[in-house]
């Protein structure tokens, strides 16, 4: 039963990563067709900013989760 969260989290991360890849690719190709190089750079810059913000939010969420768990007295050790 310990493997179930690992498999579900891995599946969720892979589905979200694939979806994000195709969303960025679609916007990138659309900008390439419509406006050229300047629009492509804007899409890539925005994608980078969104990716950095997403990673920072995930880190903050993990820290808050572990902080709340420790405050409630939960054992969060990996061993």
């Amino acid at each position: 039963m310990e493997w179930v969260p690992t498999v579900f989290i891995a599946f969720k991360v892979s589905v979200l990563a694939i979806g994000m890849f195709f969303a960025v690719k679609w916007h990138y190709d659309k900008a390439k067709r419509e406006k050229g190089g300047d629009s492509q750079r804007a899409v890539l810059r925005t994608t980078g900013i969104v990716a950095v913000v997403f990673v920072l939010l995930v880190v903050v969420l993990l820290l808050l989760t572990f902080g709340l768990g420790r405050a409630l007295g939960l054992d969060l050790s990996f061993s």
Side-chain angles (χ1 to χ4, degrees):
M1 201 46 136
E2 294 178 6
W3 58 270
V4 172
T6 304
V7 171
F8 285 162
I9 290 171
F11 178 73
K12 183 176 184 176
V13 167
S14 63
V15 167
L16 288 174
I18 291 168
M20 287 174 57
F21 170 78
F22 283 115
V24 169
K25 183 179 181 327
W26 181 79
H27 282 90
Y28 184 80
D29 291 342
K30 182 179 174 187
K32 185 177 180 180
R33 278 192 312 263
E34 291 178 358
K35 298 178 185 166
D38 292 335
S39 182
Q40 283 179 313
R41 280 189 285 280
V43 168
L44 290 176
R45 186 180 318 112
T46 304
T47 301
I49 291 170
V50 168
V52 167
V53 168
F54 178 74
V55 169
L56 288 175
L57 287 174
V58 167
V59 168
V60 168
L61 180 64
L62 282 172
L63 291 174
L64 288 173
T65 302
F66 280 104
L68 179 64
R70 285 208 173 104
L72 293 174
L74 300 174
D75 181 23
L76 300 174
S77 62
F78 290 107
S79 56

